[in-house]
Amino acid sequence: MAEIGKALLESGWLAARSTEVELTGSQLTTTHPPTGPNSPWMEAVVPGTVLATLVKNKVVADPFYGLENEMIIDIADSGREYYTFWFFTKFQCTLSGAQHLDLNFRAINYSAEVYLNGHKMVLPKGMFRRHSLEVTDILNPDGENLLAVLVHPPDHPGRIPPEGGQGGDHEIGKDVATQYVEGWDWIAPVRDRNTGIWDEVSISVTGPVNIIDPHLVSSFFDQYTRAYLHATTELENRSAWVADCSLNIQVATELEGSVCLIEYLQTQHVSVPPGARIQYTFPKLSFYKPNLWWPNGLGKQSLYNVSITVDVKGYGESDTWGHLFGFRKIESHIDSATGGRLFKVNGQPIFIRGGNWILSDCLLRLSKERYKTDIKFHADMNLNMIRCWGGGLAERPDFYHYCDVYGLLVWQEFWITGDVDGRGIPVSNPDGPLDHDLFMLCARDTVKLLRNHPSLTLWVGGNEQVPPDDINTALKNDLKLHPLFESHSGNALSIEEEDPSQYLDGTRVYIQGSMWDGFANGKGDFTDGPYEIQNPEDFFKDNFYNYGFNPEVGSVGMPVSATIRATMPPKGWQIPLFKKLTNGYTEEVPNPIWEYHKYIPYSKPGKVHDRIELYGIPKDLDDFCLKAQLVNYVQYRALLEGWNSRMWSKYTGVLIWKTQNPWSGLRGQFYDYLLDQTAGFYGCRCAAEPIHVQLNLATYFIEVVNTTSEELSNVAVEASVWDLEGACPSYNVFDKLSLPPKKVMSISELNYPKSENPKPVYFLLLKLYNMSNNSIISRNFYWLYLPGGDYKLLEPYRNKRIPLQITSKTSHKDSSYEIEMNVQNKSEKPDPKILTYKNNFANRHEDGEFDMASLEPVHNKTEEKQKAGLFQRLYRQFPRETDGSKISEIKGSDVGVAFFLKFSVHALKTDNKGGDDTRILPVHYADNYFSLVPGEEMSIKMSFEVPQGVTPRVTLEGWNYQSEVPTVI
């Protein structure tokens, strides 16, 4: 007897081009199955795409590297048959008695024929729909089952015009599929248009009655002290007799480790007629003061385990279902003060600072591990919303799971874009996809797939466009709010009203398009953006953006030099030419490989002088990328601080275009495809912290932003100015402050630039701290120049040698490492009047991957101290002293700020040839690209996974630590 439940078919898949296989599907799954990865068969990537499989087997070049994508034949030139592929695997299953087996495909693109043990079934068209096939009667008696799937590409893959463009020739919009695959201004075309089995394949064993698509809803009363859990599920009886069922729902919370506390258990008796499919609603479950789910930065993401089981009389357990659930209420309305959409969670207004998301990987090699890193990165940046853009995916349950865990609100769009659906050049598909019924089938199925996730916040009809009238009307009707969730609704559920869990959703607002109803100008005009480099002070000006909520504003995204070398041949290492124009501005002329990878320049002639050139003309790739990181940090910090400055008075939110790239692109990203963060990541992290001290770059007033619902009292702001000689010409403390909740407070003007002899380049360090214990609430470090100046004096400042002392504590468990680095600027002793030099942060939780208390300290001999270099060696391998700690020093005799320090983690290789990319990625850092004034110290935590057999080492580089050649150890 097979065990009740689901098993993934995630390994052992083979693939072959259909034109190279002369056998039929029936033959492949009976008499002539492939025996292994022998031509034309190869190991397949499932979930993934045909192109992912071809790349894995080196049949085609890596489309992410250099110009290799141009060497891969496009489907428009090859024809659809070239990317029509067979996928084959085997699985074991033997049923007994009244058991049933379903073969499940959570998504394929675009249609498929399925053969199991010689029997043919069809998976109809549509990229965003689930398929479940009952195969009970066609299983092999010996338990070994042969499965072959012939996957066909989208019907209208389109052709890429010579000039490229947003969505190519827009033909892909005739299908219900992802639209970015014909190329956009941030990505090259994807040659197979994402053809493949791109989400999980599974088999599920049930008894005579199975559970289908339960819907969970929470409602609240008495100021959130009382809550109800509403639950409705479908039950299907596949037997020939009446099934007398015991239907159980259990709600539990995890206390510690694997220990769970059952908060609620209810059993109902239900009879299901033979062959029938019924809907059953549980009596509502009552809770008193449940732990609430909150967005990132505003509270805990409390999650409960909800499980539903059905037992059938005379049979036993027939099916089971489980889901993590968060008690929370999300509301939104158009704010009368700003005209922007204002979101509330659990009654609290949420100032939205988030980002636009495309997808993890344009070859759809989606995994839980990648999703976990992606979403945790967004939480690390202190963001609280992700917008799933309409030209990308209906994101997967694994994506939403980690948004639930890390507290990211999700705006999910359907598959409509202005460029492809009615607005492009030339005007495209004014009536959207050809099959409107298919679109709605996919939309309804997507809602059922995702609706139980607390992170899911709103549905949006399309990107910069509304769906065709009939689709838009159907979505409005299907996604109408239950009366309990309408604005200003009463708290009571009347007897006449349906239970909210009987709605398709009923709890989340539907907005027809990304520039309508409280977003951009609210009327659908192109009033999002801009998308290029800005003068940092402009973000603070009243005329920068005129509407309350900007769904897209973007800028630069140059990665570090190691990523350029890892993703491009030497021809791609050439930095742009800096071409001087007659109007005094500089035009950047990038090399063809950068152009292909959608590089966005750091200048906008006529409006913005080159922000990299402000630091001096870069000499080489390393110099260019380092100066780009300085700009990235300033640019994105200023963007968010500009929005912070006008929280609630002018703005309700902003979403940055965009946070990452699903390939090796060079624009609009906080971390690259290889998962290395840019400095913009940390500029964003700084500006988006829940309580934040900042400098208004337009007025030079110091401000404190409190986005939380708590008032802060007895706090102070410390403002210290430091020059390039290490002196502190200005020091002020503004004490005994009280900061009201959800407010921006202007503290005082920074008077140093107006002083008698201000230095042309200087540093400003702002700290907000508790006066009771000097613990830091917010720390913010600026490098500034006087009006009309530049940063060129920082170039000779590189030659300063600022002494540092680094104390490291290392712990590990299996392949997981956590390291805490305490870095101290030893160029001067701390000034006695500066009480915050230790930077002891108040309630600073890094949400590490594991508990430090459970880790094993590493022990080894102390290593010799190493000199500073391009990559300063802190230690060759992790120390193994009994206390798991080690002290290293960087020698220096100069006094000053240790500027723009950056940690990185590398694999120790004794045979490193010098050109290898030795980075261990991803790494979660508490902070990076940080600076320390004389006497100041700071602790930085980092956590990461190490590949098997690899010894990690940590390196440090910085503006003052670059000129020496590193010593190979």
Side-chain angles (χ1 to χ4, degrees):
M1 185 174 182
E3 182 179 356
I4 298 293
K6 184 176 80 171
L8 297 181
L9 305 182
E10 55 186 351
S11 61
W13 285 89
L14 300 173
R17 183 170 285 113
S18 63
T19 55
E20 298 175 3
V21 177
E22 298 179 354
L23 301 169
T24 65
S26 295
Q27 291 172 316
L28 288 172
T29 57
T30 53
T31 56
H32 294 81
T35 57
N38 304 312
S39 183
W41 294 93
M42 64 192 84
E43 293 181 358
V45 178
V46 176
T49 62
V50 167
L51 189 54
T53 289
L54 296 174
V55 171
K56 172 184 173 68
N57 291 276
K58 296 182 169 47
V59 176
V60 299
D62 181 357
F64 291 12
Y65 187 81
L67 299 177
E68 296 296 332
N69 193 52
E70 288 296 286
M71 303 298 106
I72 303 173
I73 189 169
D74 192 80
I75 193 171
D77 301 312
S78 68
R80 293 174 67 246
E81 294 79 8
Y82 185 82
Y83 288 109
T84 299
F85 263 64
W86 282 106
F87 293 86
F88 176 87
T89 193
K90 303 175 183 179
F91 64 88
Q92 293 284 331
C93 186
T94 303
L95 303 179
S96 64
Q99 287 189 321
H100 294 259
L101 186 75
D102 292 310
L103 174 61
N104 310 301
F105 296 84
R106 205 159 67 183
I108 57 101
N109 189 26
Y110 185 63
S111 62
E113 296 140 39
V114 177
Y115 294 84
L116 181 63
N117 302 329
H119 298 265
K120 180 181 178 181
M121 295 158 283
V122 173
L123 303 186
K125 298 174 183 178
M127 185 174 178
F128 304 109
R129 62 188 296 186
R130 295 170 294 169
H131 306 271
S132 187
L133 307 170
E134 186 179 1
V135 295
T136 306
D137 296 334
I138 58 176
L139 298 179
N140 278 336
D142 64 2
E144 182 173 77
N145 299 280
L146 307 181
L147 172 63
V149 186
L150 182 63
V151 181
H152 300 276
D155 291 348
H156 302 89
R159 180 173 292 277
I160 314 304
E163 67 274 14
Q166 312 288 78
D169 65 0
H170 310 136
E171 282 291 292
I172 195 69
K174 294 179 177 177
D175 297 329
V176 183
T178 188
Q179 297 183 354
Y180 77 91
V181 290
E182 281 201 66
W184 224 267
D185 60 4
W186 45 267
I187 194 170
V190 181
R191 300 307 185 187
D192 68 343
R193 308 295 191 266
N194 281 166
T195 301
I197 304 172
W198 68 275
D199 200 358
E200 70 173 34
V201 184
S202 65
I203 53 173
S204 52
V205 177
T206 69
V209 176
N210 59 311
I211 298 167
I212 301 173
D213 290 333
H215 185 199
L216 307 176
V217 172
S218 58
S219 62
F220 298 92
F221 308 92
D222 298 339
Q223 283 72 51
Y224 296 89
T225 59
R226 291 192 301 123
Y228 292 119
L229 174 61
H230 307 264
T232 293
T233 187
E234 290 185 78
L235 299 171
E236 182 183 28
N237 181 3
R238 293 194 272 197
S239 73
W241 62 87
V242 174
D244 292 323
C245 304
S246 293
L247 190 59
N248 308 294
I249 184 168
Q250 175 180 293
V251 182
T253 182
E254 188 172 303
L255 297 179
E256 186 174 344
S258 59
V259 178
C260 290
L261 173 66
I262 297 176
E263 301 250 353
Y264 207 104
L265 178 61
Q266 183 187 105
T267 300
Q268 299 293 321
H269 298 285
V270 184
S271 292
V272 187
R277 182 165 170 169
I278 68 167
Q279 179 176 283
Y280 180 80
T281 300
F282 287 90
K284 59 189 179 184
L285 286 65
S286 179
F287 293 81
Y288 180 68
K289 290 187 176 179
N291 296 321
L292 300 182
W293 183 94
W294 290 96
N296 182 38
L298 294 177
K300 292 183 179 180
Q301 290 74 53
S302 299
L303 295 169
Y304 291 78
N305 289 296
V306 178
S307 60
I308 298 174
T309 58
V310 58
D311 295 331
V312 176
K313 185 177 180 180
Y315 177 81
E317 185 178 80
S318 182
D319 199 6
T320 183
W321 176 92
H323 206 287
L324 289 175
F325 180 75
F327 283 93
R328 61 98 183 97
K329 184 178 182 180
I330 294 178
E331 309 164 86
S332 71
H333 65 273
I334 298 176
D335 177 46
S336 58
T338 64
R341 184 157 289 272
L342 189 154
F343 289 88
K344 290 184 176 181
V345 178
N346 304 329
Q348 294 293 330
I350 308 297
F351 188 60
I352 298 297
R353 293 170 295 184
N356 285 269
W357 167 270
I358 311 302
L359 67 162
S360 278
D361 174 25
C362 71
L363 303 189
L364 302 186
R365 295 166 293 194
L366 309 178
S367 69
K368 291 181 180 179
E369 294 76 19
R370 177 83 187 202
Y371 274 137
K372 183 178 182 180
T373 297
D374 280 320
I375 304 308
K376 190 174 188 307
F377 271 175
H378 286 74
D380 288 347
M381 286 187 282
N382 291 314
L383 299 180
N384 56 20
M385 179 176 277
I386 296 178
R387 173 192 174 210
C388 294
W389 175 71
L393 298 181
E395 265 300 353
R396 300 297 87 195
D398 290 334
F399 169 94
Y400 276 92
H401 166 75
Y402 289 110
C403 289
D404 295 344
V405 168
Y406 291 114
L408 274 299
L409 300 170
V410 183
W411 156 337
Q412 179 66 65
E413 275 174 15
F414 294 108
W415 318 286
I416 296 288
T417 66
D419 296 280
V420 173
D421 295 290
R423 285 189 165 190
I425 301 174
V427 173
S428 57
N429 303 316
D431 200 33
L434 296 180
D435 190 337
H436 289 197
D437 290 339
L438 174 60
F439 186 99
M440 286 307 304
L441 187 154
C442 289
R444 293 179 183 117
D445 198 58
T446 295
V447 173
K448 291 179 180 179
L449 178 67
L450 302 177
R451 62 190 178 184
N452 291 317
H453 289 277
S455 57
L456 178 56
T457 302
L458 73 159
W459 303 102
V460 178
N463 165 64
E464 299 177 340
Q465 179 64 301
V466 298
D469 288 345
D470 59 324
I471 291 178
N472 195 32
T473 299
L475 287 170
K476 287 180 179 179
N477 184 61
D478 285 1
L479 296 172
K480 64 183 178 183
L481 291 172
H482 185 279
L484 273 178
F485 298 92
E486 292 176 347
S487 296
H488 314 298
S489 67
N491 285 338
L493 179 64
S494 70
I495 297 175
E496 296 81 20
E497 290 172 346
E498 291 179 279
D499 187 280
S501 63
Q502 294 174 2
Y503 277 48
L504 179 63
D505 186 328
T507 68
R508 301 171 178 91
V509 68
Y510 167 74
I511 305 297
Q512 59 185 343
S514 67
M515 299 187 299
W516 280 258
D517 303 321
F519 300 121
N521 77 346
K523 302 174 183 178
D525 300 316
F526 280 107
T527 47
D528 49 8
Y531 303 93
E532 64 272 319
I533 191 73
Q534 304 292 324
N535 294 307
E537 63 272 16
D538 289 348
F539 291 112
F540 296 83
K541 294 179 180 177
D542 190 58
N543 63 353
F544 180 74
Y545 189 70
N546 294 324
Y547 309 103
F549 194 120
N550 193 340
E552 296 184 15
V553 56
S555 191
V556 291
M558 192 67 190
V560 298
S561 59
T563 291
I564 296 296
R565 291 190 173 93
T567 57
M568 297 180 185
K571 287 184 178 179
W573 304 354
Q574 300 170 7
I575 64 174
L577 297 175
F578 286 72
K579 181 181 176 182
K580 280 293 183 184
L581 305 179
T582 55
N583 61 2
Y585 287 86
T586 297
E587 178 187 357
E588 291 184 16
V589 183
N591 68 63
I593 299 179
W594 285 25
E595 193 82 44
Y596 189 80
H597 286 253
K598 313 298 183 179
Y599 173 76
I600 186 170
Y602 284 68
S603 66
K604 188 179 181 183
K607 183 180 179 183
V608 181
H609 287 284
D610 196 286
R611 303 300 301 179
I612 288 178
E613 195 178 9
L614 287 177
Y615 296 89
I617 297 293
K619 301 183 290 293
D620 53 26
L621 180 64
D622 291 318
D623 193 29
F624 180 92
C625 289
L626 178 59
K627 288 174 177 173
Q629 299 318 310
L630 289 163
V631 180
N632 290 345
Y633 193 106
V634 171
Q635 183 78 178
Y636 284 107
R637 177 178 59 182
L639 189 161
L640 286 177
E641 289 183 339
W643 253 263
N644 289 346
S645 185
R646 297 172 181 267
M647 179 179 71
W648 308 131
S649 63
K650 183 173 183 177
Y651 299 132
T652 60
V654 61
L655 301 177
I656 295 172
W657 182 267
K658 42 194 190 10
T659 55
Q660 47 76 245
N661 271 305
W663 80 308
S664 49
L666 298 181
R667 68 164 62 194
Q669 60 185 359
F670 289 129
Y671 60 94
D672 58 48
Y673 177 77
L674 300 179
L675 299 176
D676 201 352
Q677 300 97 327
T678 72
F681 183 107
Y682 298 98
C684 172
R685 176 182 172 87
C686 173
E689 55 190 353
I691 304 169
H692 180 63
V693 62
Q694 64 181 44
L695 180 69
N696 185 311
L697 295 178
T699 65
Y700 266 59
F701 269 77
I702 298 167
E703 301 170 337
V704 176
V705 183
N706 182 6
T707 69
T708 75
S709 57
E710 303 295 328
E711 180 177 0
L712 294 178
S713 59
N714 197 32
V715 297
V717 171
E718 177 188 88
S720 58
V721 172
W722 300 83
D723 62 26
L724 298 185
E725 285 71 48
C728 180
S730 174
Y731 179 83
N732 292 283
V733 174
F734 309 95
D735 58 5
K736 298 179 182 178
L737 302 174
S738 292
L739 307 176
K742 310 287 183 183
K743 296 288 185 182
V744 181
M745 178 178 285
S746 182
I747 305 300
S748 176
E749 185 177 5
L750 178 69
N751 291 317
Y752 177 75
K754 299 178 180 178
S755 62
E756 192 167 323
N757 291 301
K759 298 298 177 67
V761 176
Y762 60 97
F763 303 112
L764 170 66
L765 178 58
L766 300 178
K767 293 183 182 182
L768 173 68
Y769 65 94
N770 290 307
M771 294 187 66
S772 60
N773 58 7
N774 300 319
S775 61
I776 305 297
I777 301 169
S778 173
R779 178 186 183 275
N780 201 350
F781 182 88
Y782 295 85
W783 48 104
L784 302 164
Y785 56 79
L786 296 180
D790 57 40
Y791 290 117
K792 290 186 173 66
L793 285 176
L794 286 175
E795 187 65 35
Y797 189 72
R798 283 179 165 185
N799 297 321
K800 287 222 173 191
R801 285 293 168 260
I802 312 298
L804 296 177
Q805 178 176 291
I806 303 102
T807 304
S808 61
K809 295 180 181 178
T810 303
S811 301
H812 86 285
K813 184 177 182 180
D814 300 325
S815 62
S816 299
Y817 281 76
E818 183 163 301
I819 301 173
E820 182 174 1
M821 294 287 194
N822 181 275
V823 186
Q824 183 176 5
N825 181 336
K826 300 285 287 185
S827 64
E828 275 194 350
K829 292 182 179 180
D831 190 319
K833 69 183 178 184
I834 301 178
L835 302 176
T836 62
Y837 71 93
K838 283 185 174 292
N839 284 320
N840 294 319
F841 282 84
N843 300 317
R844 188 169 183 174
H845 300 294
E846 308 305 339
D847 292 322
E849 299 305 310
F850 43 80
D851 184 355
M852 282 289 287
S854 67
L855 305 179
E856 304 166 7
V858 183
H859 310 291
N860 196 5
K861 296 179 180 178
T862 304
E863 309 261 347
E864 292 183 357
K865 298 171 185 176
Q866 301 298 322
K867 293 181 179 180
L870 177 61
F871 289 101
Q872 171 61 38
R873 268 65 179 164
L874 299 185
Y875 34 70
R876 181 171 61 87
Q877 61 185 22
F878 291 120
R880 295 185 179 176
E881 297 138 344
T882 54
D883 61 355
S885 65
K886 175 182 178 286
I887 297 177
S888 300
E889 290 185 358
I890 296 175
K891 299 293 187 182
S893 57
D894 293 317
V895 176
V897 171
F899 183 50
F900 216 52
L901 303 172
K902 178 205 172 190
F903 283 115
S904 56
V905 183
H906 296 257
L908 176 63
K909 291 187 176 181
T910 56
D911 60 344
N912 186 14
K913 300 174 183 177
D916 295 342
D917 185 4
T918 61
R919 290 173 296 172
I920 292 175
L921 299 171
V923 181
H924 296 277
Y925 300 95
D927 202 359
N928 224 347
Y929 293 100
F930 61 99
S931 302
L932 297 173
V933 303
E936 191 182 22
E937 63 183 84
M938 183 182 295
S939 290
I940 306 290
K941 286 183 180 178
M942 60 191 77
S943 61
F944 53 92
E945 300 284 328
V946 172
Q948 187 174 5
V950 170
T951 300
R953 61 183 174 89
V954 175
T955 65
L956 180 68
E957 59 182 330
W959 191 257
N960 308 104
Y961 309 100
Q962 291 196 318
S963 61
E964 298 179 27
V965 177
T967 303
V968 177
I969 302 172

